Amino acid sequence: MTADPHQSDEQTRTASATYLPAAHYSYDQLAELYNQARTDYIVPMPMNGRRMAEYVRMYDVRLDESLIARDPSGADAGICMMGVRDRRVWVTRLGIIPERRGLHIGRDLTLALLDRGRALRATHVQLEVIEGNAPAHRLFISLGFVERRGLLVIRRPPAPSPGLDPAIGVIPLSDEVIAVCLGSRRDVPSWIDESASLLNGGGLVGWQIGTPDGRTGWIVARASAFQLSHIVFDSPDVQFTGLLLATLHSQAPRLDTNLENLPVDHPHWAAFQGLGYVESFRRIEMLMRL
Amino acid sequence: MSRIVLIEDDANSARLASRLLARAGHAVEVAVDGGDGLTLIAAHPPELVLVDLGLPDVDGQTVIAMLRQTSAMQQVPIVVFTAWPQETAQAMMTAYGCDGLIVKPIDTRTFVDQVNRYLLVRDDGHVEKL
């Protein structure tokens, strides 16, 4: 995208749209615009202002770098947000209001964000697109993104507490130890499951367990009043992961669980299935070097 | 007549569905998000719940999970009412112990019959789950 020299520093324009920083909008306005843009999405997941604010905080979304597109009449046409961590940026919440599609606003919005990422000296950009969203996938491929891996969004409704062998030692983790555990992770999480996301979100619970045969590991999750989410763990094997999950769910048997972005080929997926998790839908994680 | 709670954030969809059900003689209360729905149902459990999966505060699966843990709601039919892909919605419906699935956009000619399938009105006026 090329900036129009007649526009202010914060406002740029293409042939079809004008772009404003998302920071000019309230969280309620951002949520409303996002919901309008995703009303016919494959898996619509609307937000309210409170959830939008939480999303921005947890995922280090920079509203001053995120953009709202307005069509030539001045009406809001689309949104695209950007998270920033170190030298990486994350493109998220891209959506164009249905009546304003076909004007390449999505492409221009994404290009504008990539420009902003370069200006921040980011070296990589990443995003997730839901599997089956062919237009968005085509757009990202055309811009130079490459697929990194498939990701599962999985759910587990509350269920009776799984029985735990009393010989297994279970130790609750303090906030300090949780932070140490998160700092020692060896997995390659998606943006929303990175340790920064968990620490930003707060509400973390965790346990270390040990088996009589000497195996040890830990599990950490985010627990809200209604839901467990953002589950991360360190486990020597799939059977042990089942024990970690059983520990988690025995501690919070009444909470629903929503786990996003488990790699499709995760070697411990069977442990989740064994505890009653079911696949909801899939995403594709994509990367590009800036 | 049955009392139905519709938990649906899309105003157009809620308006259409509630109008059709009201015309068929049902009393419909609309909750615009999960929190409102839980509050409404806790105050007065209905005879059937239609719940969207994509809600702006607490998502539909979590709402269903919370309802199913309420003793007054364990026998009340809960029907998923969603625009999600059929396969995904079906998987969630089954996993969360729902009684049925109605995919949006609704067919106005068959919607009331679809809902009535989950209700059985006895001669004495009581409503039972089919």
Side-chain angles (χ1 to χ4, degrees), chain A residues 24-125:
Chain A
H24 289 202
Y25 288 63
S26 70
Y27 289 122
D28 283 339
Q29 289 173 318
L30 293 172
E32 178 60 27
L33 175 54
Y34 172 73
N35 293 344
Q36 286 179 37
R38 294 292 188 102
T39 188
D40 60 347
Y41 197 53
I42 296 174
V43 182
M45 289 183 290
M47 308 175 88
N48 59 18
R50 186 190 61 77
R51 280 183 69 179
M52 178 62 81
E54 181 180 63
Y55 191 89
V56 166
R57 181 174 55 87
M58 279 187 72
Y59 303 130
D60 293 310
V61 171
R62 288 270 299 269
L63 293 182
D64 56 333
E65 301 292 353
S66 303
L67 292 173
I68 306 298
R70 286 183 173 169
D71 71 12
S73 75
D76 291 337
I79 182 170
C80 192
M81 304 181 91
M82 186 164 78
V84 182
R85 285 178 181 156
D86 303 322
R87 292 292 187 89
R88 295 175 300 128
V89 295
W90 179 55
V91 173
T92 184
R93 309 278 96 167
L94 171 62
I96 307 301
I97 289 177
E99 299 77 29
R100 294 178 174 80
R101 292 181 192 155
L103 302 171
H104 306 291
I105 295 173
R107 181 182 185 85
D108 289 348
L109 263 175
T110 310
L111 285 170
L113 253 65
L114 297 179
D115 282 349
R116 287 171 173 249
R118 291 186 187 97
L120 292 169
R121 300 184 183 280
T123 58
H124 291 82
V125 55

Side-chain angles (χ1 to χ4, degrees), chain A residues 51 155 226-227 254 256 280, chain B residues 56-57 59 62 69 88 96:
Chain A
R51 280 183 69 179
R155 303 292 301 229
F226 309 122
Q227 205 179 71
R254 294 176 64 82
D256 184 35
S280 181
Chain B
D57 56 345
D59 66 45
T62 299
Q69 293 182 76
T88 304
Y96 282 79

Side-chain angles (χ1 to χ4, degrees), chain B:
Chain B
M1 183 189 85
S2 297
R3 180 171 171 267
I4 296 170
V5 168
L6 169 61
I7 308 176
E8 165 65 286
D9 65 303
D10 184 287
N12 291 330
S13 171
R15 193 177 307 118
L16 176 60
S18 58
R19 187 178 298 165
L20 291 168
L21 293 170
R23 197 178 294 164
H26 297 300
V28 184
E29 292 180 82
V30 177
V32 297
D33 60 32
D36 280 356
L38 291 167
T39 303
L40 194 60
I41 290 167
H44 184 191
E47 286 138 334
L48 184 138
V49 179
L50 294 168
V51 56
D52 192 3
L53 293 178
L55 294 168
D57 56 345
V58 184
D59 66 45
Q61 294 98 311
T62 299
V63 169
I64 294 164
M66 295 177 73
L67 289 175
R68 280 293 187 231
Q69 293 182 76
T70 308
S71 58
M73 285 299 298
Q74 286 181 359
Q75 300 302 318
V76 174
I78 299 177
V79 177
V80 171
F81 183 62
T82 186
W84 285 20
Q86 177 107 16
E87 187 182 357
T88 304
Q90 190 82 35
M92 294 299 104
M93 182 202 91
T94 303
Y96 282 79
C98 297
D99 298 85
L101 165 65
I102 296 176
V103 174
K104 298 185 291 185
I106 59 172
D107 182 335
T108 55
R109 295 164 302 180
T110 59
F111 175 64
V112 171
D113 287 341
Q114 285 182 289
V115 172
N116 283 338
R117 275 184 41 224
Y118 302 106
L119 295 164
L120 174 64
V121 182
R122 297 195 316 223
D123 289 343
D124 61 4
H126 286 85
V127 176
E128 283 185 345
K129 187 173 149 185
L130 278 172

Side-chain angles (χ1 to χ4, degrees), chain A residues 217-271:
Chain A
W218 54 262
I219 187 163
V220 168
R222 184 164 191 247
S224 72
F226 309 122
Q227 205 179 71
L228 290 170
S229 63
H230 299 83
I231 299 171
V232 299
F233 54 91
D234 183 71
S235 170
D237 57 64
V238 63
Q239 189 264 347
F240 194 91
T241 298
L243 297 177
L244 288 168
L245 291 168
T247 301
L248 172 68
H249 292 302
S250 67
Q251 300 288 338
R254 294 176 64 82
L255 290 185
D256 184 35
T257 307
N258 178 24
L259 178 55
E260 299 185 63
N261 296 355
L262 185 76
V264 166
D265 59 355
H266 196 291
H268 297 184
W269 169 217

Side-chain angles (χ1 to χ4, degrees), chain A residues 134-154:
Chain A
H137 187 261
R138 273 197 304 273
L139 167 64
F140 298 134
I141 291 288
S142 73
L143 294 175
F145 284 88
V146 295
E147 291 188 9
R148 182 191 213 183
R149 57 185 170 175
L151 300 168
L152 296 171
V153 176
I154 57 179

